[in-house]
Amino acid sequence: MRKNPSRRAGRLGLRGGVGRGGGATTFVPVPLEWQGTTRQVAGLFPWGVPGRLPAIGVPTGRHQLGAGVVCFDPASWFRAGLIANPSVLVLGKPGLGKSTLVDHWGIGLAAMGYRILVPGDTKPDHVEMTRVLGGAVQQVRRSGGAALNPCDPGGMGASAARIGGQAGDTLLHEAIGRGTTAVHSLVQLIRDGSPVLDHERAALAMALRVLYTSGRRAPSLPDVLDVLGQRPDEIRSVVLARGGDDDYDVLLDPLRRSLLALLAGPYGNVFSRPVDRSDIDTPALDIDTSAIKAGDPGYLAAVLICAWSEAYGRVESAQALTAAGLEPRRQHVVILDELWRVLRVGRGTGMADRVNELTRLNRTEGVCQIMVTHGVRDLSTGRDQQVEGIEHRAGALVIGGIPKGEVRALQDVVTLTDAEAGQLVSWSSAPDLDPRTRPPGSGKFLIKHSPTEPGIPVDVMLTPTELAWGGQNSNRAWED
Ligand SMILES: Nc1ncnc2c1ncn2[C@@H]1O[C@H](COP(=O)(O)OP(=O)(O)OP(=O)(O)O)[C@@H](O)[C@H]1O
Ligand SMILES: [Mg+2]
């Protein structure tokens, strides 16, 4: 081995090693420096080379510009502090893979222990996913299908009885409130939008209270009718029926007639029976409302109101049971696909209020929300002021192919670079293809986790298992 020359020389002087190749230098080059704005030197600041994307959340697909695997789901990104709110709004033209992407996240989230709820699967798009996860599918039909009980939202009454004490009472009051709201909306729908009067609402709430306090865990609409018919003192006093039975009947017969119409009329027997909740611990629940055709918006609205009430009642029950130390903690993911349809049929029935309430509270309620619609303009259809702003409140936007007009509307919500806007339009402008082939823009999404930063363009990759089960094939009706 050759010896180090400075060692060989034996010593180090003040100006470096003594000997050949050692000593001082007279010129030290200063590196060149430039200054510029972030826009002028874009790509150099803060780093010239992109960093890796956080490996947090469900592996969703490949980065379109080669930055590796893209992991994303609203729950995990919220937990990691990457988005401010555990919700996502997925936008895109029909047939470009929104529901497929949502199923993909659903499977990943279920594997992480989240319970998946699809309250009102209008197409249905998520039935196969629910089945594959070993979950429960409740198909609602005019007759003989699953029941929806507006008076007993998500088994809250039974959970309240299990919890007992002050906490049980609080949950019971919540059950009565929710039940009253649901029945109120149904009565309004069967009356073709005519309002429910204040004393009628009070009578409904009191009837439910009488039923619950008399020990009924899950009262139903026929029970409410019975109680109203018995003219108990509690209800007499809230409707101020001072003039005896006749006075009472004049005040409450219209409500009883509406309830009878709900039970015996065009809505079949969906709302008259108790709900089977033997599946309460299910990893996924899909309330399949696809058998109700769009041509019957009143009926669909009624079913959706009760289905939402059921799903959120289940969430509240689960949370109250956890707080009481009776059940382990379980987080929920609610999938609201075809949101535009829900908002359209539910106009004037409090549906929009419910969406609003949820998008504001999901962080504190421990509910992650995945909402799907065609574009932000859907959300303000009919200038329904109540629902405006969902796109601003969502923790992230995931945007697929959308037409130019929609891109312009989106510019008010998030900053889209010219390149991003061009990409979104190109994904949407596919030539008319055979419906059995995938359009070129399908499975391509831009994840906007911040309104100002560039988005993450991703090619959604399905696993061989997902492709094999065929659940995502929403074009099946076109196959030979
Ligand atoms: N990443 C993907 N890989 C393979 N196939 C996909 C992918 N994304 C979508 N598809 C296929 O494209 C078709 C349409 O997808 P999907 O039903 O999810 O669209 P959508 O955006 O939800 O449409 P709509 O707005 O009408 O509900 C499905 O048959 C699905 O199998
Ligand atoms: Mg869909």
Side-chain angles (χ1 to χ4, degrees), residues 99 125 337-338:
S99 305
D125 274 323
D337 205 338
E338 305 274 311

Side-chain angles (χ1 to χ4, degrees), residues 431-452:
D432 268 338
L433 295 170
D434 178 343
R436 284 163 294 195
T437 58
R438 273 181 70 195
S442 122
K444 294 189 185 300
F445 289 93
L446 182 71
I447 302 174
K448 280 294 230 188
H449 59 290
S450 146
T452 46

Side-chain angles (χ1 to χ4, degrees), residues 107-176:
I107 296 165
L109 287 165
M112 294 180 204
Y114 289 86
R115 184 177 287 147
I116 315 293
L117 301 176
V118 190
D121 197 353
T122 48
K123 262 197 171 167
D125 274 323
H126 309 287
V127 163
E128 288 302 321
M129 178 215 24
T130 309
R131 290 221 172 95
V132 167
L133 294 177
V137 177
Q138 296 189 353
Q139 210 208 16
V140 180
R141 273 179 272 120
R142 219 175 270 272
S143 169
L148 289 169
N149 185 355
C151 307
D152 170 34
M156 285 167 82
S159 303
R162 221 181 123 194
I163 294 167
Q166 179 76 41
D169 258 11
T170 312
L171 188 65
L172 187 62
H173 277 96
E174 201 48 49
I176 294 171

Side-chain angles (χ1 to χ4, degrees), residues 97-412:
K98 300 182 296 297
S99 305
T100 306
L101 170 61
V102 169
D103 272 358
H104 185 74
W105 286 335
I107 296 165
L109 287 165
M112 294 180 204
Y114 289 86
R115 184 177 287 147
I116 315 293
L117 301 176
V118 190
D121 197 353
T122 48
K123 262 197 171 167
D125 274 323
H126 309 287
V127 163
E128 288 302 321
M129 178 215 24
T130 309
R131 290 221 172 95
V132 167
L133 294 177
V137 177
Q138 296 189 353
Q139 210 208 16
V140 180
R141 273 179 272 120
R142 219 175 270 272
S143 169
L148 289 169
N149 185 355
C151 307
D152 170 34
M156 285 167 82
S159 303
R162 221 181 123 194
I163 294 167
Q166 179 76 41
D169 258 11
T170 312
L171 188 65
L172 187 62
H173 277 96
E174 201 48 49
I176 294 171
R178 268 183 194 280
T180 311
T181 307
V183 181
H184 173 282
S185 307
L186 292 194
V187 171
Q188 203 169 326
L189 279 168
I190 200 93
R191 287 181 180 176
D192 266 339
S194 309
V196 178
L197 302 176
D198 49 2
H199 69 273
E200 293 178 317
R201 191 179 163 93
L204 278 177
M206 189 48 84
L208 283 177
R209 185 156 310 178
V210 168
L211 284 163
Y212 274 117
T213 46
S214 68
R216 296 298 295 264
R217 299 269 162 93
S220 60
L221 276 182
D223 299 330
V224 172
L225 252 177
D226 272 356
V227 172
L228 289 172
Q230 288 160 15
R231 306 187 189 92
D233 289 342
E234 293 93 328
I235 301 183
R236 273 179 207 271
S237 63
V238 292
V239 298
L240 269 186
R242 292 202 199 93
D245 287 358
D246 291 346
D247 205 4
Y248 180 96
D249 290 345
V250 169
L251 284 166
L252 288 184
D253 273 0
L255 178 63
R256 289 164 71 186
R257 253 180 238 118
S258 299
L259 291 176
L260 277 170
L262 262 177
L263 292 175
Y267 289 178
N269 65 358
V270 175
F271 307 115
S272 58
R273 294 168 290 141
V275 176
D276 171 17
R277 294 210 185 80
S278 48
D279 58 14
I280 200 85
D281 281 328
T282 183
L285 170 72
D286 183 300
I287 304 183
D288 174 3
T289 57
S290 59
I292 298 149
K293 297 300 166 209
D296 199 348
Y299 187 37
L300 183 56
V303 165
L304 286 176
I305 284 164
C306 293
W308 277 43
S309 185
E310 172 69 21
Y312 286 105
R314 283 186 183 222
V315 173
E316 250 171 275
S317 294
Q319 284 170 343
L321 289 167
T322 306
L326 296 172
E327 293 286 343
R329 180 169 298 287
R330 194 90 192 246
Q331 256 98 19
H332 293 80
V333 175
V334 176
I335 296 176
L336 306 172
D337 205 338
E338 305 274 311
L339 190 62
W340 59 274
R341 196 190 297 234
V342 173
L343 294 172
R344 196 164 298 173
V345 298
R347 198 165 297 147
T349 55
M351 209 72 177
D353 287 340
R354 198 71 198 114
V355 177
N356 267 334
E357 189 189 329
L358 279 157
T359 47
R360 293 207 180 95
L361 292 183
N362 51 17
R363 199 164 37 84
T364 41
E365 284 189 357
V367 180
C368 167
Q369 248 177 331
I370 300 179
M371 299 170 283
V372 184
T373 194
H374 292 150
V376 284
R377 287 181 300 178
D378 283 346
L379 300 175
S380 50
T381 315
R383 293 184 184 75
D384 190 346
Q385 293 293 328
Q386 293 163 307
V387 292
E388 278 179 4
I390 291 178
E391 64 276 27
H392 295 281
R393 290 196 297 274
L397 293 187
V398 172
I399 316 163
I402 45 173
K404 268 190 188 155
E406 196 53 55
V407 170
R408 278 193 292 274
L410 257 183
Q411 302 273 19
D412 293 337

